[in-house]
Amino acid sequence: MGRPNGLARTSVRFRPASFAGSFVALLFAAMLVTMCGIFLESGIRAHVPAGRYADTPIVVAGPTTTSKTFGSGEDKENVKVALPERARVDAALAARIAAVPGVAAVLPDLTFPAQTPTAVLDAHPWSAARLAGTPHDGAAPRPGEAVLTTEAAHRIGAGATAGGTVRVTTPAGEVPLRVSAVLPGTDARLYVADTEAARLAGNPGKVTAFGVLLADHTSTGKVAGELRKVLKATGAEVRTGDGRGEVEHPGLGDTKELLIGVGASFGGIVAAVAVFVVAGSTSLSVAQRRRDFALLRAVGATPWQIRRMIATETAMVSLLAGLAGVLPGTLLARWWFDTMVGRGMIEDGVTLAVGPVPMLVAVGAGLLSALLAGLMAARASARTKPTEALGEAGVERARVGWVRLVLGLVALAGGGVLSGIAMKATGDQAVGAAGGVIMLFMLGVGLLGPVIAHLFVYATGFLLRLFGAPGRLAFDNARTNSRRLASAITPITLTVAFATTLMFMFAAQDHYSEKQSKAALTADRVIGGPGFPAGTTTEIARVPGVAAVTSVLATNVVMAGSDDLQKYSTQGIGGTDTDLARVLDLGVRAGSTDALRPGAAQPPGGAVAMDRLTADTVKARLGKPIEIRLGDGTRIKPTLVATYDRGLGTAAVTLPRATVEHHVDAALDTRLLVRLADRADPAAVDAALAKVARAHPDTRISDRAGYAAERDQDRETNKWTNQVMLVILAGFATIAAVNTMIVSTVARRRELGLMRMIGSTRTQVRAVVRGEAALVGVIGLALGLTIAMITLVPFGKGAFGESTPYVPVPLLLGISAAALLLAPLSVAPITRRLLRVEPIDAVGAKE
């Protein structure tokens, strides 16, 4: 036994079937870890090349992130999040920028939407045309005039020619503009006079960015450094290179967070599942070859040589599987990324970063997991005395080692304690704890698998004895071979636990969101579209039969929890009605929303209302001020005047429109909630509203049912992402379960042959195998559902304020049926194939 490495290579080469299960598990693990690593790297490295600013060496703009430091001393951590809205900068900074040596010109730029009945254009001041390289052949527009690019003129259609007139809706309202020129351009842009750009954008005294042109033979880096010193106290950022592209693409920060979230959060779950799957399959592979190791011990092999042989075998298989898995993982990442691009979830210009690091990590993680699992599984075979080796190999041990037993009990106890802690927590803390609960319970099940299988066989095995001799034999076999049974039960438990938890979480979010949305909306009509200026509410209020109009300006704010910053959906409330509940019943639990209405008296610093779970998460107290960072990063400290129950169906935070309108990209209302007069003719009102809506592109007028359907469509993007994650994760766990069942069944060919030799018919043998498989399905389903329900309780309490989990019966029945059928359907074809072998040949076959 002097060359264990050579023996290991020979074993892998001539007995590949013994390693097939491990190879499949490691391949899929490497594939998914590679995919998640590519997303994580893409999020970290995401950038957009400069487009409009390609010929502008330096751009000065507002910050794109906000941050907060948590903890102190060595535990100090600075947390950053991307700002939900574009942060504008003070127009007066132009003079300070121009005074820096080397600056030749400072060109202020504003970006705001200009809507026509047929298109939504990007509008800019005329001086910004120079930044984009737009030809200046046409005359500069005077107040009341506009210059269009050819693409913009094409989208507008009629009237978009030199000398014609177009009517556009901007954040400041609707204005007619005479077209002074149409210049070449592939982007749909509209340029107005510099003197009226700020007014139309709705943010007087603010600009989106400054383009800085340099004098000849001036160093960009040197000027940028001087500008950073001059502007340090203003909050403005100096950008060069690819950093200029982020000014044009404010959604880049959200794209980074999405990719990093998928890569890190989902990747963490995938990695944890992969560890369970790889450890289980590797341990099963080692356990099935215990006769080989026993024979080697009997002929003089030392424990060290056995371990080295197993390590070599495992390394070879894991390396081959890892290398085979990186290409499918890359292709899967490419497919998912391209699909997200098609759905508008990825900022234009961002590309997928495919580098070697994720692939190396995937291969290395699989190698490490397999080696540890293989060496742990080999401890018993390596330590068995040579004189006892063959006898020990013929009998499967029902117990587990003390170390494994203690760790398993600690994991189960930790899961129970964490579940109890999560029940006392609120908001995101309770939701976050749910992931820890399921991981700890799965770790406990993985470590105590043989013991749990043994106990469950005794508890549920009486069902098998009801089916005569085959059933009794299946029960006795399952009781004796609890280790083999545990190797099949664990992946099914894993599949059921994760599939049930994720599917029920998503179903609960849809259920409570729809329920709250329907209960909250009391308006008779909802007008939705790409955006309405503030004056539209007055225009709608003049329609005969309309009693009141409430406008909703959608944005996000950033608030700090115990140890992180989070974005929260926010609605800015405006309009003509003083009673918000006439159109939107938030389900106020404490306080009053009166201070949020237009013209109402507000406490010092302003007023805010929050969903009660959000208020608990950020530790906001009724009647006390709370720090809020608006979409552009501006900090305010309004007083919490009310908490409500229907934030999931409306918004987590409610502020007056006046508080947020100058801190968003474009102060355009996303929805107008209309209350009809008591005796109004609905048909006549609808006709009048439709006439007003024609001035705005893609405007929709819905009743309450239509509004609920629109909100369902708005949630579709997040729902789709979650579904993809679920399919990938559940698919991986299912493949692992099927793989384990097949491998463990193939290893029983001698046992099945022996049953045939003592008189069992093929039908009886199949009945025994089916009975064991059914028992595996029952135990796996019971364990998986138990873990899922324990996990869903704190999740439901933290996310919805409901301690009883939401259980969609059709989903529960579907998961149960799949789990119960998975094992029998997996082993049936393999059993049929094994039974075609003559009994004498099966008994004499190699292990």
Side-chain angles (χ1 to χ4, degrees):
M1 192 61 191
R3 298 184 61 190
N5 290 351
L7 188 57
R9 290 193 294 271
T10 302
S11 179
V12 173
R13 180 180 177 185
F14 290 101
R15 300 182 60 184
S18 301
F19 305 93
S22 298
F23 181 86
V24 171
L26 286 162
L27 186 148
F28 278 95
M31 181 179 74
L32 296 185
V33 173
T34 298
M35 178 199 70
C36 294
I38 288 174
F39 275 125
L40 180 60
E41 183 179 9
S42 298
I44 294 173
R45 296 173 53 186
H47 67 279
V48 180
R52 291 182 57 243
Y53 299 130
D55 297 327
T56 307
I58 298 175
V59 175
V60 177
T64 57
T65 62
T66 184
S67 64
K68 183 178 176 64
T69 300
F70 295 91
S72 59
E74 295 182 357
D75 296 330
K76 186 181 295 185
E77 181 182 8
N78 187 257
V79 178
K80 287 185 178 182
V81 297
L83 287 173
E85 304 282 354
R86 195 196 305 263
R88 301 182 186 274
V89 293
D90 192 344
L93 291 178
R96 297 172 65 176
I97 296 172
V100 172
V103 173
V106 179
L107 303 176
D109 187 19
L110 265 171
T111 300
F112 59 96
Q115 302 174 8
T116 72
T118 57
V120 179
L121 313 176
D122 282 337
H124 306 275
W126 173 246
S127 59
R130 185 178 173 187
L131 296 173
T134 300
H136 284 56
D137 298 338
R142 296 189 295 267
E145 292 184 340
V147 171
L148 303 176
T149 61
T150 50
E151 177 62 22
H154 172 72
R155 294 188 186 183
I156 295 172
T161 57
T165 300
V166 295
R167 299 190 67 85
V168 298
T169 300
T170 70
E174 185 180 355
V175 293
L177 296 174
R178 176 182 173 276
V179 180
S180 62
V182 178
L183 302 179
T186 56
D187 295 313
R189 295 184 183 134
L190 175 148
Y191 296 98
V192 297
D194 291 358
T195 54
E196 65 177 0
R199 179 182 64 82
L200 296 179
N203 282 291
K206 298 287 185 179
V207 297
T208 302
F210 292 105
V212 180
L213 303 182
L214 306 181
D216 293 339
H217 310 297
T218 301
S219 168
T220 300
K222 182 177 180 180
V223 175
E226 291 298 321
L227 284 172
R228 290 188 179 97
K229 294 178 183 178
V230 170
L231 302 175
K232 184 177 181 180
T234 66
E237 296 183 351
V238 179
R239 297 180 174 273
T240 59
D242 286 342
R244 297 169 296 170
E246 194 166 358
V247 179
E248 299 176 62
H249 299 272
L252 181 60
D254 290 333
T255 295
K256 287 182 177 181
E257 290 182 355
L258 172 63
L259 294 174
I260 291 174
V262 171
S265 301
F266 182 54
I269 297 175
V270 165
V273 174
V275 168
F276 286 117
V277 170
V278 170
S281 61
T282 305
S283 299
L284 179 61
S285 175
V286 173
Q288 286 177 343
R289 291 180 292 128
R290 62 186 182 276
R291 290 181 182 271
D292 294 348
F293 303 137
L295 181 59
L296 292 173
R297 290 287 288 130
V299 299
T302 66
W304 178 85
Q305 288 173 321
I306 295 292
R307 294 192 184 100
R308 181 178 173 184
M309 173 183 168
I310 292 173
T312 304
E313 291 174 348
T314 304
M316 292 172 64
V317 173
S318 60
L319 283 174
L320 290 173
L323 294 174
V326 294
L327 178 58
T330 303
L331 296 177
L332 182 59
R334 171 65 62 186
W335 168 82
W336 196 355
F337 183 85
D338 290 343
T339 307
M340 288 193 289
V341 170
R343 289 175 170 264
M345 301 167 63
I346 303 295
E347 186 71 12
D348 292 341
V350 176
T351 57
L352 195 67
V354 180
V357 175
M359 302 175 188
L360 293 174
V361 170
V363 175
L367 174 61
L368 181 61
S369 299
L371 279 175
L372 291 176
L375 292 175
M376 289 181 64
R379 289 177 71 248
S381 298
R383 293 170 59 185
T384 303
K385 295 179 180 179
T387 56
E388 303 172 353
L390 291 176
E392 288 287 330
V395 180
E396 186 179 88
R397 295 186 308 152
R399 61 183 178 83
V400 297
W402 283 107
V403 174
R404 185 171 175 178
L405 178 64
V406 171
L407 290 177
L409 292 175
V410 169
L412 292 180
V417 171
L418 184 59
S419 179
I421 294 174
M423 284 296 297
K424 298 178 182 179
T426 56
D428 290 341
Q429 291 180 343
V431 175
V437 172
I438 193 171
M439 289 301 177
L440 284 172
F441 275 112
M442 282 309 309
L443 178 60
V445 170
L447 292 171
L448 301 178
V451 176
I452 294 173
H454 207 68
L455 295 175
F456 266 88
V457 167
Y458 273 103
T460 61
F462 71 92
L463 295 173
L464 290 177
R465 293 196 292 267
L466 300 178
F467 294 92
R472 289 193 295 272
L473 184 56
F475 168 71
D476 292 335
N477 210 4
R479 181 182 57 184
T480 305
N481 296 286
S482 58
R483 280 184 175 272
R484 187 191 67 214
L485 206 67
S487 67
I489 290 172
T490 300
I492 292 180
T493 302
L494 188 73
T495 304
V496 172
F498 274 105
T500 302
T501 301
L502 294 176
M503 291 178 74
F504 283 20
M505 279 182 176
F506 303 153
Q509 288 174 339
D510 288 342
H511 169 74
Y512 287 111
S513 180
E514 181 180 0
K515 180 180 178 181
Q516 292 182 18
S517 178
K518 288 181 178 178
L521 185 67
T522 55
D524 297 305
R525 297 291 183 272
V526 178
I527 304 176
F532 307 96
T536 309
T537 55
T538 304
E539 187 178 1
I540 297 295
R542 295 197 191 103
V543 172
V546 171
V549 184
T550 292
S551 62
V552 178
L553 194 161
T555 182
N556 288 277
V557 299
V558 177
M559 292 186 291
S562 299
D563 55 3
D564 65 351
L565 287 175
Q566 291 286 340
K567 297 178 187 176
Y568 294 91
S569 60
T570 302
Q571 55 186 0
I573 299 298
T576 64
D577 194 12
T578 57
D579 184 4
L580 180 61
R582 293 184 67 189
V583 293
L584 197 63
D585 184 1
L586 297 176
V588 175
R589 169 166 293 216
S592 170
T593 59
D594 291 345
L596 304 176
R597 302 302 298 158
Q602 293 190 8
V608 63
M610 292 183 192
D611 175 82
R612 65 183 180 87
L613 296 177
T614 301
D616 288 340
T617 300
V618 300
K619 295 180 170 51
R621 297 292 177 262
L622 197 66
K624 302 293 184 181
I626 175 73
E627 181 178 276
I628 297 176
R629 306 175 192 216
L630 298 176
D632 63 351
T634 301
R635 302 187 187 192
I636 60 173
K637 278 197 170 183
T639 298
L640 182 65
V641 296
T643 58
Y644 49 86
D645 290 329
R646 294 171 181 158
L648 189 63
T650 54
V653 179
T654 302
L655 288 163
R657 188 185 194 278
T659 302
V660 301
E661 62 183 353
H662 294 301
H663 303 279
V664 295
D665 243 5
L668 296 172
D669 298 318
T670 50
R671 289 184 177 90
L672 303 177
L673 310 180
V674 180
R675 182 79 176 194
L676 303 186
D678 292 339
R679 297 183 179 179
D681 179 7
V685 175
D686 287 343
L689 292 176
K691 188 175 181 180
V692 175
R694 290 193 193 104
H696 306 280
D698 299 326
T699 298
R700 304 171 301 278
I701 301 176
S702 309
D703 56 13
R704 294 177 187 177
Y707 172 71
E710 285 184 16
R711 284 195 60 84
D712 289 341
Q713 189 174 12
D714 292 343
R715 293 193 299 269
E716 194 63 31
T717 295
N718 288 334
K719 186 176 179 181
W720 175 84
T721 304
N722 293 336
Q723 287 173 341
V724 172
M725 291 183 182
L726 173 61
V727 169
I728 292 174
L729 190 61
F732 178 37
T734 301
I735 290 170
V738 172
N739 176 49
T740 303
M741 291 298 302
I742 291 174
V743 171
S744 60
T745 303
V746 169
R748 301 178 62 188
R749 57 183 175 268
R750 294 181 64 188
E751 175 190 335
L752 301 184
L754 184 59
M755 291 174 62
R756 298 267 314 282
M757 288 186 68
I758 62 175
S760 300
T761 65
R762 284 187 172 91
T763 301
Q764 290 173 326
V765 173
R766 282 197 293 266
V768 170
V769 175
R770 280 199 302 268
E772 289 186 43
L775 187 61
V776 167
V778 170
I779 297 174
L781 176 64
L783 284 173
L785 288 179
T786 300
I787 294 173
M789 291 304 144
I790 294 175
T791 305
L792 288 168
V793 169
F795 169 78
K797 185 176 182 297
F800 317 116
E802 299 285 345
S803 297
T804 302
Y806 172 70
V807 179
V809 176
L811 280 178
L812 178 62
L813 294 177
I815 291 172
S816 300
L820 293 175
L821 293 174
L822 181 62
L825 292 178
S826 299
V827 303
I830 300 301
T831 304
R832 284 196 298 270
R833 182 175 178 181
L834 293 178
L835 291 179
R836 294 195 190 107
V837 180
E838 290 298 324
I840 189 65
D841 294 331
V843 172
K846 295 184 299 181
E847 274 292 318

